[in-house]
């Protein structure tokens, strides 16, 4: 495997990507201080003065998966969906405050965050809809945050480069960014059991997360619009006429929704483990 190549399940071999989102802790500084001391102060700085945040929404019921527990508790190989998703956020090496949104009263998932998180990871209880859960997460973010990435925990195996691409596009000046991938199927809109339209496939994208926004914009659109049919945050921004930039997503950023998705996720995690074993 090439140095630095991303593998499934967020495992990265070879040199690490530089941290993103903080000029203070660049490699110039690490050459003049011990790496451990720099890391300590990086974390202190991140806790008191975060410029980026990730809202990780994990408060869904998982009824379509049919496992009888909240989806974030379902295991993929050796870890729960929530642990994989949290690892994905941390593996992106974005200097971000992470707010995990959990089902109310779920002590099992709270224990997962306590175990796998860190000083810059906090927890808040979610709501009945995804939008209510995102809003709960946004309400807890420190005022120092400029950019926020909203990520579905159900997209548990999202590779680090997708997070980095979204944040970089925000840092380059976009107000709203979403990853997307080309679709393989022909997509038709259907009304009353009949085809109403067939949009040209070349212009279609399956939209993923993390979606990135300036915090000011996302808070504004969440306070102005509330609708049970809102399935992602970009929809809210689109309704205001603000352009949403689309960057390349990744096939492994799929949402674990059905038992078939879970089988695919388990196969990817198994393959990553085998790769990791070969590297040792
Ligand atoms: O239900 P859906 O597939 O749209 O869920 C996408 C993400 O939103 C999942 O990670 C899920 O845990 C989260 N969600 C949430 N609160 C809800 C519903 C969904 O945090 N009430």
């Amino acid at each position: 495997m090439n140095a630095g190549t991303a593998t499934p399940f967020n495992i990265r071999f070879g040199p690490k990507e530089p941290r993103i989102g903080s000029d203070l802790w660049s490699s110039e500084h690490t050459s003049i201080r011990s790496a451990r001391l720099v890391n300590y102060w990086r974390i202190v700085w991140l806790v008191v003065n975060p410029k980026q945040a990730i809202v990780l929404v994990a408060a869904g019921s998982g009824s379509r998966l049919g496992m009888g527990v909240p989806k974030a508790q379902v295991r993929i190989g050796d870890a729960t969906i929530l642990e994989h998703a949290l690892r994905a956020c941390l593996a992106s090496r974005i200097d971000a405050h992470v707010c995990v949104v959990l089902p109310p009263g779920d002590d099992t998932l709270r224990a997962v965050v306590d175990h796998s998180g860190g000083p810059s990871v906090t927890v808040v209880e979610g709501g009945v809809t995804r939008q209510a859960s995102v809003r709960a997460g946004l309400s807890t973010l420190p005022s120092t945050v400029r950019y926020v990435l909203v990520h579905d925990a159900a997209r548990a195996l999202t590779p680090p480069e997708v997070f980095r691409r979204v944040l970089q596009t925000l840092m380059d000046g976009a107000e709203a960014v979403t990853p997307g991938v080309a679709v393989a199927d022909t997509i038709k809109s259907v009304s009353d059991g009949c085809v109403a339209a067939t949009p040209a496939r070349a212009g279609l994208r399956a939209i993923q997360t993390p979606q990135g926004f300036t915090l000011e914009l996302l808070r504004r659109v969440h306070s102005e619009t509330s609708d049970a049919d809102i399935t992602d945050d970009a929809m809210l921004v689109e309704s205001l006429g603000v352009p949403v930039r689309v960057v390349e997503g990744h096939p492994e950023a799929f949402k674990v929704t059905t038992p078939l998705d879970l089988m695919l996720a388990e196969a990817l995690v198994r393959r990553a483990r085998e790769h990791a074993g070969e590297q040792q």
Side-chain angles (χ1 to χ4, degrees):
M1 181 161 296
N2 294 335
T5 303
T7 64
F9 177 42
N10 318 304
I11 290 177
R12 186 169 284 277
F13 299 108
K16 284 181 180 168
E17 296 285 355
R19 289 207 162 269
I20 184 168
S22 172
D23 296 338
L24 268 181
W25 314 110
S26 67
S27 52
E28 295 162 47
H29 295 272
T30 56
S31 64
I32 54 170
R33 301 180 195 183
S34 88
R36 189 173 282 185
L37 195 62
V38 167
N39 201 38
Y40 173 80
W41 283 111
R42 184 185 66 75
I43 291 167
V44 171
W45 186 249
L46 180 56
V47 169
V48 296
N49 188 32
K51 295 285 186 251
Q52 289 78 223
I54 300 174
V55 173
L56 180 64
V57 282
S61 64
S63 50
R64 285 174 289 179
L65 202 51
M67 306 284 281
V69 289
K71 193 195 296 186
Q73 285 190 26
V74 172
R75 296 189 86 76
I76 308 174
D78 66 339
T80 60
I81 284 182
L82 180 61
E83 279 167 282
H84 284 289
L86 203 46
R87 283 181 200 167
C89 295
L90 301 176
S92 70
R93 293 178 61 76
I94 290 175
D95 270 330
H97 169 98
V98 180
C99 174
V100 185
V101 187
L102 296 180
D106 193 324
D107 293 336
T108 306
L109 290 177
R110 198 172 269 267
V112 167
V113 179
D114 288 347
H115 182 255
S116 319
S120 57
V121 180
T122 57
V123 168
V124 68
E125 292 189 344
V128 176
T129 61
R130 183 185 182 281
Q131 193 191 352
S133 294
V134 174
R135 199 180 283 159
L138 292 179
S139 69
T140 69
L141 298 185
S143 57
T144 54
V145 170
R146 175 143 193 230
Y147 303 120
V148 58
L149 271 52
V150 181
H151 187 49
D152 293 337
R155 299 181 187 276
L157 307 184
T158 303
E161 64 261 32
V162 183
F163 290 82
R164 296 172 69 86
R165 209 173 283 144
V166 170
L167 177 61
Q168 191 59 60
T169 309
L170 288 173
M171 291 168 71
D172 290 345
E175 277 189 280
V177 185
T178 183
V181 287
V183 293
D185 292 320
T186 297
I187 309 282
K188 296 184 188 288
S189 71
V190 176
S191 174
D192 293 332
C194 290
V195 171
T198 307
R201 190 169 59 185
L204 295 176
R205 295 290 176 275
I207 292 304
Q208 303 178 326
T209 69
Q211 295 183 339
F213 308 89
T214 58
L215 179 59
E216 185 273 325
L217 173 66
L218 194 61
R219 277 199 170 136
R220 181 154 52 91
V221 293
H222 270 273
S223 69
E224 285 173 4
T225 319
S226 191
D227 183 342
D229 293 334
I230 302 258
T231 51
D232 75 347
D233 300 280
M235 277 174 80
L236 294 168
V237 173
E238 290 155 42
S239 68
L240 285 192
V242 176
V244 180
R245 286 279 305 278
V246 180
V247 297
E248 196 56 36
H250 196 288
E252 288 165 18
F254 66 93
K255 186 164 62 172
V256 177
T257 307
T258 65
L260 190 60
D261 299 327
L262 193 57
M263 286 168 68
L264 176 58
E266 280 166 351
L268 288 170
V269 167
R270 211 168 29 248
R271 194 184 71 181
R273 286 268 166 251
E274 285 162 12
H275 275 293
E278 284 163 18
Q279 299 288 315
Q280 283 165 6

Coordinates of all heavy atoms in Angstrom, one line a residue, residues 57-60 64 71 127-130 133 152-154 255, ligand 1:
V57 N -24.5 13.7 14.6 CA -25.9 13.3 15.0 C -26.1 11.8 15.1 O -25.9 11.1 14.1 CB -27.0 14.0 14.2 CG1 -27.2 15.5 14.6 CG2 -26.7 13.9 12.7
A58 N -26.4 11.3 16.3 CA -26.5 9.9 16.5 C -27.8 9.6 17.4 O -27.8 8.6 18.1 CB -25.3 9.4 17.3
A59 N -28.8 10.4 17.2 CA -30.0 10.2 18.1 C -31.1 9.5 17.4 O -32.2 9.5 17.9 CB -30.4 11.6 18.6
G60 N -30.8 8.9 16.2 CA -31.9 8.2 15.5 C -32.3 6.9 16.1 O -31.5 6.3 16.9
R64 N -35.4 1.3 10.7 CA -35.2 0.6 9.4 C -34.2 -0.5 9.4 O -34.2 -1.4 8.6 CB -34.9 1.6 8.3 CG -36.1 2.5 7.9 CD -35.7 3.5 6.9 NE -34.9 4.6 7.5 CZ -34.4 5.6 6.9 NH1 -34.6 5.8 5.6 NH2 -33.7 6.6 7.5
K71 N -29.8 2.9 16.5 CA -28.8 2.5 15.5 C -27.3 2.7 15.9 O -26.5 1.9 15.6 CB -29.0 3.3 14.2 CG -28.3 2.7 13.0 CD -28.3 3.7 11.8 CE -29.6 4.0 11.2 NZ -29.5 4.8 10.0
G127 N -33.4 15.3 19.5 CA -34.8 15.5 19.4 C -35.5 14.5 18.6 O -34.9 13.5 18.2
V128 N -36.8 14.7 18.3 CA -37.6 13.7 17.6 C -37.2 13.6 16.2 O -37.3 12.5 15.6 CB -39.1 14.1 17.8 CG1 -40.0 13.2 17.0 CG2 -39.5 14.1 19.3
T129 N -36.8 14.7 15.6 CA -36.4 14.7 14.1 C -34.9 15.0 14.1 O -34.3 15.5 15.0 CB -37.1 15.8 13.3 OG1 -36.8 17.1 13.9 CG2 -38.6 15.7 13.4
R130 N -34.4 14.6 12.9 CA -32.9 14.9 12.7 C -32.7 16.4 12.8 O -31.7 16.8 13.4 CB -32.5 14.4 11.3 CG -31.0 14.6 11.0 CD -30.6 14.3 9.6 NE -29.2 14.4 9.3 CZ -28.6 15.6 9.1 NH1 -29.3 16.7 9.1 NH2 -27.3 15.6 8.8
S133 N -32.4 17.4 16.3 CA -31.1 16.9 16.9 C -30.0 17.9 16.5 O -29.1 18.2 17.3 CB -30.8 15.5 16.5 OG -31.8 14.6 17.0
D152 N -23.7 12.6 9.9 CA -24.5 11.5 10.4 C -23.7 10.4 10.9 O -22.8 9.9 10.2 CB -25.3 10.9 9.2 CG -26.3 11.8 8.6 OD1 -26.8 12.7 9.2 OD2 -26.7 11.6 7.4
A153 N -23.9 10.1 12.2 CA -23.1 8.9 12.8 C -23.4 7.7 11.9 O -22.5 6.8 11.9 CB -23.6 8.7 14.2
A154 N -24.5 7.6 11.3 CA -24.9 6.4 10.5 C -23.9 6.2 9.3 O -23.8 5.2 8.7 CB -26.3 6.5 10.0
K255 N -24.7 5.6 4.1 CA -25.4 5.6 5.4 C -25.8 4.2 5.7 O -26.5 3.6 4.9 CB -26.6 6.6 5.3 CG -27.3 6.7 6.6 CD -28.2 8.0 6.6 CE -29.3 7.9 5.5 NZ -30.3 9.0 5.6
Ligands
LIG1 O1 -33.0 8.9 9.9 P1 -31.8 9.3 9.1 O2 -31.3 8.2 8.3 O3 -32.1 10.5 8.2 O4 -30.7 9.7 10.1 C1 -29.5 10.3 9.7 C2 -28.7 10.6 11.0 O5 -29.4 11.5 11.8 C3 -28.4 9.4 11.8 O6 -27.0 9.4 12.2 C4 -29.3 9.5 13.0 O7 -28.8 9.0 14.2 C5 -29.5 11.0 13.1 N1 -30.8 11.4 13.7 C6 -30.8 12.1 14.9 N2 -32.0 12.4 15.5 C7 -33.1 12.0 15.0 C8 -33.1 11.3 13.8 C9 -31.9 11.0 13.2 O8 -29.7 12.4 15.5 N3 -34.3 12.3 15.6

